[in-house]
Amino acid sequence: MAPNTQFKILSIDTSCDETAAAVTEGKKVLSNIIWSQASLHAKFGGVYPSLAKRMHKERIGWVIEKAIKNSKVKIKNIDSIAVTVGPGLAIALEVGIKKALEFAEAYNKPLIPINHVEGHILSVLAHSRNLKSQISNLKFPALAFVASGGTTQLILVYKIGDYKILAQTSDDSLGEALDKAARMLGLGYPGGAILEKMAKKGNSQTYPLPIPMLGQEDKFVFSYSGLKTAFYKLVEKELPLTPEKIYNLAAVFQNKAFLNVERLLIRVLDEYPTQDFLFGGGVSANSELRKRVRKICRQRNVGMHLPYSKRLCGDNAAMIGVAAGFKAARREFTDPDKIDRLPRWKVDEVK
Ligand code: KG4
């Protein structure tokens, strides 16, 4: 089913540490404003929930205003308000939901609750004002991989709105593991992108580290705790760190973490030989991982799809608007009295 291409949606996402609002029309992104709090959480080495809530509250009004202004759509011409209700930090989600309710009531617009992970899956379908979507016809079932700071899941997409999680992490998410490795190397937070930069200058074969879940791909589980512990011991042994050592250690960690993804992806594609692969979430911005996943897809004649801009890889509200466009076409609106935060909402659970 296609989204309603005339339908204009104001979408809001405050699920973690990005305060985000966007205006979309079907799959077309008219504006996409993201105010990242990451630098404020850096000293804690991760997201500090009460600070996230406070900063969302402080910034959400400004972010929405800017999203509406940049879209050049008048608020009276917005057809619906979409908001992420889960998964995410409960007290952070609450801020976006409250704001969505305020707007829905003040302007008498219907509300659409969205699952954040569904947003990441469908982010690859979004297109800019000038550029049409490269994906005209997805073949279902398709396979999606969402790799972010909160999620590492391979998901079967029976059709848009109908999902089954095939594999997920038993401990850290891939983004979290990369962030922790970066922190051990003193590279700051969030460290995924910095680790990638360092890894480019290093040699991934310089130190021995285990490949997570090696030989256990049949379990359909990602896992990074063993790799993380082994890495911690290795870093301790190599102290004091020189730039050369940091490059090599970053390359070694990234390589082993990505080998886990590659092996599991191959295993899942063996069992579910789909023709389209949708890759979203913050870690999908990583060029080394893109290269490796692309190679696997090419070998199997699978079409690989990424968001059209890196602004749509990490947390954003445009992807929430795109997902809401499909829900609007299915007339899936929600009673304002029933909308609530769902911090643990799995994308394959019908709510
Ligand atoms: O999707 P996202 O913005 O937030 C969540 O939904 O959690 O993803 C954030 C994660 C962080 O762990 C960050 O380090 C990682 O995505 N990330 C990257 C890159 N850019 C962001 N990881 C690896 N390489 C990158 N270039």
Side-chain angles (χ1 to χ4, degrees), residues 185-338:
L185 297 176
L187 299 175
Y189 169 86
I194 315 165
L195 196 78
E196 176 185 17
K197 237 173 149 179
M198 298 294 129
K200 274 188 184 144
K201 300 187 202 169
N203 177 348
S204 64
Q205 306 303 316
T206 37
Y207 300 102
L209 270 186
I211 299 174
M213 303 302 288
L214 182 64
Q216 299 182 71
E217 288 76 18
D218 281 352
K219 289 187 177 162
F220 279 32
V221 166
F222 297 96
S223 170
Y224 300 102
S225 63
L227 177 63
K228 216 174 53 188
T229 309
F231 189 66
Y232 178 77
K233 288 184 185 153
L234 177 60
V235 173
E236 288 285 296
K237 218 175 79 197
E238 290 301 316
L239 290 174
L241 297 177
T242 59
E244 192 71 25
K245 283 187 189 176
I246 292 177
Y247 304 152
N248 288 336
L249 286 163
V252 168
F253 186 88
Q254 216 190 233
N255 177 43
K256 292 293 157 72
F258 291 172
L259 277 170
N260 171 234
V261 173
E262 287 174 77
R263 297 180 68 91
L264 197 45
L265 176 57
I266 290 170
R267 177 67 189 85
V268 167
L269 279 172
D270 278 346
E271 193 152 332
Y272 299 89
T274 52
Q275 292 181 57
D276 280 302
F277 182 75
L278 323 179
F279 186 15
V283 187
S284 72
N286 187 289
S287 45
E288 175 64 24
L289 187 57
R290 283 182 173 193
K291 196 171 86 189
R292 296 184 187 201
V293 170
R294 190 171 286 119
K295 188 171 169 205
I296 293 170
C297 287
R298 204 172 281 144
Q299 282 165 348
R300 288 160 185 259
N301 234 351
V302 177
M304 173 175 158
H305 310 291
L306 285 159
Y308 75 87
S309 147
K310 286 195 177 170
R311 271 179 81 73
L312 276 97
C313 292
D315 284 354
N316 69 90
M319 66 183 193
I320 301 304
V322 171
F326 287 96
K327 276 196 152 188
R330 302 195 298 265
R331 313 299 302 162
E332 289 178 20
F333 302 107
T334 286
D335 180 343
D337 293 331
K338 294 206 175 121

Side-chain angles (χ1 to χ4, degrees), residues 82-152:
V83 63
T84 301
V85 296
L89 291 171
I91 59 172
L93 289 163
E94 187 181 278
V95 180
I97 295 171
K98 260 194 184 155
K99 208 62 183 175
L101 276 165
E102 266 174 39
F103 266 79
E105 197 183 347
Y107 298 99
N108 196 24
K109 309 286 181 193
L111 267 173
I112 308 176
I114 297 292
N115 181 296
H116 182 79
V117 176
E118 180 175 31
H120 277 307
I121 296 172
L122 301 183
S123 63
V124 305
L125 302 179
H127 63 89
S128 65
R129 272 178 194 272
N130 319 319
L131 208 79
K132 275 230 155 263
S133 173
Q134 303 296 305
I135 312 169
S136 51
N137 209 357
L138 274 186
K139 286 162 222 79
F140 295 111
L143 187 65
F145 181 42
V146 176
S148 68
T151 308
T152 305

